[in-house]
Amino acid sequence: RASLCKHTGGGERMSADELKAAGNAALGAKDFKAAAELYTQALAVNPESAVLYSNRAAAYSLLGKVKKALADARRSVALDPTYVKGHSRHARALFDAQEFGEALAACDAGLALEASNETLRALRRQIAKTQAKTETTGLPIAKAREIGEELLRNWSERDAKNGKEGQNNAIYSERLAAQVAFFRNRLQHEGATDMSINDADPYGDGDQSLPRTMAQRGALREIWCNSADVNSWMTEGKYTSLSMACYLGDRAEALAILRRFKDGVEALQSIDSSTDLIRMLEVAKSRKLEVRESSLRLPPILLLFCGSRSVRRRGVSTDEDTAERLAIMHALLAEGARPGARDVTGKTAVHYGMGSMATTTTIALSEAVIEAHEAQRAEGEQRLVDVQDRMGTVALHECIPSNRQDVVKLLLVTHRASPDVREYDGNFTPRQIANPFLFPRMAALMSRGDTVRTTGKGVARCAGCEQEASAGKVLRACSACHSSKYCSSNCIKRHWPTHKPACKARVAVLEASALQLTHNPRPETTSITSHQTGRVSVMQTGRLKPPAGREEGALFSLKFQTFGGGNAVLYNETRDLVFEVSERDPCFVTLVARARQCGLVTEHLPLAWPPLTHSQLENIKAFFLARVKDGKCTVLLASAEVRDAKW
């Protein structure tokens, strides 16, 4: 696509087909949120497309948004009753909504159009199997009380094993009993944990007091890192039925358990809405949602995270496992599971899902919990992303040393986590750990997070209409200053009178910082003719030309990157323009200073940087605007910035 060459230049919005193709690509790349946004944009262009509604239903289904998926699937079928894939998506959405009868009917409607469709046939078999396992509606009222009493009886039997007598070794095998006793003793004597408080609170967070010494905090940290006896509880089948289903990611089983409670309550309400049995059943359900199991005292929502790393079911892909666990998480939260639940070391769902070992699955689960917590959070209550465990750490403390830039960006920019939370051992904050000499990109993310928290900005917005850029949409930069960005040519035209003074001032600053490289006819040499003097080598022979697809004088980006031994390179994305620079060149200090400056939280650092060691010079990265005109390459030093782009 041609870029805008002037503030009032041409360029049209993407067509529905282009947006659909981009959405399909995002879906294939497992970026379901971006896919849904792109399909939404396509529907704004073509609102009568059954295919687009069907595709967006698939994206919503993978995000666990059952109601939205069902609405889109129904719309798709209504628009084109002959579209087989629409019936398939309709059946899947109904299945996710636990509407088994309608789901079977949707499958039959699709099979009537294409009897050999293997996807629909497999889905129908799955629905029929799940229906036989979970369907309890339509029972005679005479059996309603029997259902409630059976649920309570089964729960009471299990409750006796997980209440105050939960540490009775008689219920364990000899091997597991030894593990339980070992961790109980260690938590009590080394981890500063009052086990009597935990025994008296089998459905709550228990003792969350702060350890007083570094050794006690170290013991808690070690117990958590080694997962205590979590896996042993699973292999010996000691978890309650709901907890086991969560650990394994068995959506059908987990939803069936929750459905049984719901059906039992509804059946009992048909007899007498004031019956004590209903209240007892509600208490039993809340206990099942919050029961703490294993020596780490994990509730079902945290077991979803543990199982995602430990369990790999045969025939279930990672995407399918993520979708199933996300559906379970949404169901648990909808039924009243507490999003801020903690384990014995004080860790929350954010610690489990957005730490150094975060995966696509755990991040999706964490975001669902954070969203639920924000919806319930009282005024003045701490954000879940800022809640410290008993050692004083937050998820950011783990992500920065592991260089998990993807997770740090989510925490700082999307969820506005504070980088100034101090842990208890060394009194370090995430900001202090993100030393700009060691983690320049992390330091830049800290600065970006500060902007988001203090101004509410940081999310990409069009400078003209001020609308937030949807996922997957790239805003177009002003071709002169490259600072303001726009969603369309109309916004550029409308905003130009307002933007013009700032644009001219920015251009003046950029031009004043120009570093010009003049290419000589001799191969691999170039000279600097502006305020700096010296020589660098360039890997382009003959007359210097703009990168492919760029006109003479048009701005483009160059990436500056240093390596060990005092060498650096400047190159564009397609690598058809590459400059090598050594520390002996006078311009090297200038480029390094500018690159390091843009990665630091502190502003206005001097260009005259003190001598650096080779280790300090390694892996410094920044992007500069540049242009090629009349065989000369000019780098605009004032444009230096750190980006998320990976070349």
Side-chain angles (χ1 to χ4, degrees):
R1 294 173 57 85
S3 61
L4 297 177
C5 58
K6 294 291 180 184
H7 297 281
T8 59
E12 301 295 331
R13 290 182 181 271
M14 294 176 70
S15 67
D17 288 340
E18 289 175 316
L19 289 165
K20 175 192 166 188
N24 293 344
L27 201 64
K30 305 173 187 177
D31 192 352
F32 308 130
K33 185 180 290 187
E37 290 288 347
L38 287 163
Y39 292 138
T40 300
Q41 293 178 39
L43 282 166
V45 180
N46 184 8
E48 300 300 315
S49 172
V51 175
L52 287 173
Y53 276 108
S54 174
N55 289 2
R56 191 171 69 171
Y60 281 146
S61 185
L62 290 166
L63 286 169
K65 298 182 178 181
V66 178
K67 290 183 178 179
K68 289 186 176 182
L70 185 55
D72 276 2
R74 283 174 172 161
R75 178 65 173 160
S76 174
V77 172
L79 286 169
D80 187 358
T82 64
Y83 184 49
V84 176
K85 191 171 286 188
H87 290 285
S88 176
R89 300 268 166 76
H90 188 205
R92 169 58 67 179
L94 287 165
F95 178 42
D96 291 342
Q98 300 290 292
E99 300 292 343
F100 302 117
E102 291 184 44
L104 290 172
C107 285
D108 292 338
L111 289 170
L113 296 170
E114 186 178 326
S116 61
N117 190 299
E118 192 56 40
T119 300
L120 276 170
R121 294 173 65 171
L123 180 59
R124 197 186 193 289
R125 288 194 297 269
Q126 184 182 4
I127 295 170
K129 181 179 178 181
T130 306
Q131 182 185 36
K133 190 175 184 180
T134 62
E135 191 69 71
T136 58
T137 56
L139 289 174
I141 292 179
K143 290 188 177 181
R145 186 172 295 277
E146 181 183 342
I147 293 172
E149 290 175 347
E150 180 188 358
L151 285 168
L152 284 175
R153 183 169 58 253
N154 291 342
W155 175 259
S156 298
E157 291 173 359
R158 186 63 191 173
D159 189 41
K161 298 180 182 180
N162 290 281
K164 294 183 180 180
E165 300 175 3
Q167 302 301 333
N168 182 354
N169 290 345
I171 69 172
Y172 306 121
S173 69
E174 183 177 349
R175 175 176 173 274
L176 184 55
Q179 289 185 359
V180 170
F182 170 78
F183 288 113
R184 181 180 177 85
N185 181 69
R186 192 168 184 200
L187 284 166
Q188 178 80 44
H189 299 290
E190 297 181 38
T193 303
D194 190 336
M195 299 306 292
S196 63
I197 295 177
N198 288 350
D199 293 343
D201 188 19
Y203 312 108
D205 294 339
D207 181 17
Q208 292 292 320
S209 60
L210 302 181
R212 290 173 292 181
T213 68
M214 186 179 295
Q216 291 171 339
R217 291 189 285 272
L220 286 178
R221 190 175 288 111
E222 184 179 346
I223 290 171
W224 182 77
C225 288
N226 293 328
S227 300
D229 51 14
V230 172
N231 293 331
S232 298
W233 273 61
M234 190 277 291
T235 55
E236 298 202 14
K238 295 303 179 183
Y239 289 119
T240 58
S241 55
L242 180 59
S243 295
M244 181 66 83
C246 290
Y247 187 90
L248 297 175
D250 188 343
R251 176 174 64 173
E253 178 66 20
L255 297 186
I257 293 168
L258 295 174
R259 184 65 177 262
R260 289 190 69 201
F261 276 101
K262 183 178 180 180
D263 288 343
V265 170
E266 290 176 351
L268 290 170
Q269 285 176 334
S270 66
I271 302 172
D272 182 2
S273 60
S274 63
T275 177
D276 290 337
L277 198 57
I278 294 178
R279 287 189 288 273
M280 292 172 67
L281 201 58
E282 291 287 0
V283 170
K285 183 182 74 171
S286 66
R287 288 182 173 184
K288 207 169 189 69
L289 292 170
E290 296 295 336
V291 64
R292 306 309 166 97
E293 301 185 272
S294 83
S295 295
L296 282 183
R297 304 190 81 248
L298 299 171
I301 66 168
L302 294 186
L303 282 166
L304 275 169
F305 293 91
C306 295
S308 72
R309 297 191 182 97
S310 305
V311 178
R312 286 293 177 267
R313 291 182 291 160
R314 184 176 299 175
V316 178
S317 68
T318 302
D319 289 346
E320 292 170 337
D321 183 63
T322 300
E324 294 211 0
R325 290 183 184 275
L326 198 55
I328 296 172
M329 180 64 81
H330 283 298
L332 292 173
L333 295 171
E335 290 296 327
R338 201 159 54 87
R342 303 190 190 195
D343 70 2
V344 74
T345 67
K347 293 190 180 293
T348 66
V350 177
H351 292 94
Y352 276 85
M354 290 186 163
S356 59
M357 301 299 289
T359 64
T360 303
T361 303
T362 63
I363 290 173
L365 294 173
S366 294
E367 294 207 289
V369 177
I370 292 171
E371 183 180 352
H373 187 268
E374 283 296 305
Q376 302 174 14
R377 187 166 65 94
E379 185 177 354
E381 184 182 355
Q382 197 174 29
R383 292 177 181 273
L384 193 61
V385 291
D386 294 330
V387 172
Q388 296 169 274
D389 60 21
R390 293 177 65 195
M391 292 76 76
T393 60
V394 292
L396 278 172
H397 281 110
E398 296 181 24
C399 298
I400 294 171
S402 303
N403 204 27
R404 288 299 303 268
Q405 297 175 27
D406 55 337
V407 183
V408 171
K409 182 179 178 182
L410 270 175
L411 289 168
L412 288 174
V413 180
T414 304
H415 299 297
R416 305 186 181 189
S418 171
D420 300 311
V421 178
R422 293 189 177 274
E423 48 93 17
Y424 303 140
D425 284 343
N427 289 324
F428 285 113
T429 66
R431 191 190 298 279
Q432 291 170 327
I433 296 173
N435 186 304
F437 297 104
L438 300 175
F439 306 105
R441 293 181 68 84
M442 292 294 186
L445 286 173
M446 293 287 168
S447 181
R448 185 174 173 187
D450 290 341
T451 303
V452 172
R453 286 191 308 279
T454 57
T455 67
K457 299 178 182 179
V459 179
R461 293 179 184 275
C462 172
C465 62
E466 298 186 352
Q467 292 296 312
E468 183 178 325
S470 56
K473 183 176 179 62
V474 178
L475 298 181
R476 305 170 186 177
C478 166
S479 60
C481 68
H482 275 246
S483 57
S484 295
K485 298 184 178 181
Y486 303 90
C487 61
S488 68
S489 56
N490 289 333
C491 285
I492 294 175
K493 294 174 183 178
R494 286 196 300 267
H495 191 244
W496 174 237
T498 302
H499 175 57
K500 183 177 179 179
C503 181
K504 288 187 174 181
R506 174 64 175 166
V507 169
V509 171
L510 291 175
E511 292 299 331
S513 68
L515 181 68
Q516 191 177 84
L517 306 178
T518 305
H519 181 56
N520 294 328
R522 291 177 299 171
E524 300 184 353
T525 61
T526 199
S527 62
I528 299 172
T529 60
S530 68
H531 61 283
Q532 297 290 336
T533 60
R535 297 177 68 83
V536 297
S537 62
V538 56
M539 296 171 62
Q540 187 181 37
T541 60
R543 179 181 172 83
L544 196 63
K545 299 177 182 178
R550 295 286 180 175
E551 298 177 356
E552 282 270 324
L555 291 176
F556 58 90
S557 292
L558 283 178
K559 183 176 182 179
F560 175 76
Q561 182 173 357
T562 62
F563 304 96
N567 294 314
V569 65
L570 273 163
Y571 58 95
N572 69 324
E573 186 170 9
T574 56
R575 267 74 165 182
D576 53 357
L577 189 62
V578 181
F579 296 89
E580 291 183 342
V581 189
S582 74
E583 63 179 344
R584 295 187 300 273
D585 299 313
C587 66
F588 181 80
V589 174
T590 302
L591 291 168
V592 169
R594 286 291 188 181
R596 295 177 72 224
Q597 181 179 5
C598 71
L600 295 173
V601 176
T602 307
E603 298 179 354
H604 310 302
L605 295 180
L607 287 179
W609 204 265
L612 303 172
T613 65
H614 282 178
S615 62
Q616 290 175 321
L617 287 173
E618 188 169 355
N619 206 30
I620 297 173
K621 300 177 183 178
F623 289 81
F624 293 91
L625 290 176
R627 64 169 174 264
V628 172
K629 188 174 182 180
D630 299 329
K632 300 175 183 179
C633 181
T634 302
V635 178
L636 305 179
L637 296 174
S639 65
E641 63 175 337
V642 174
R643 301 181 190 170
D644 297 328
K646 296 180 180 180
W647 286 3

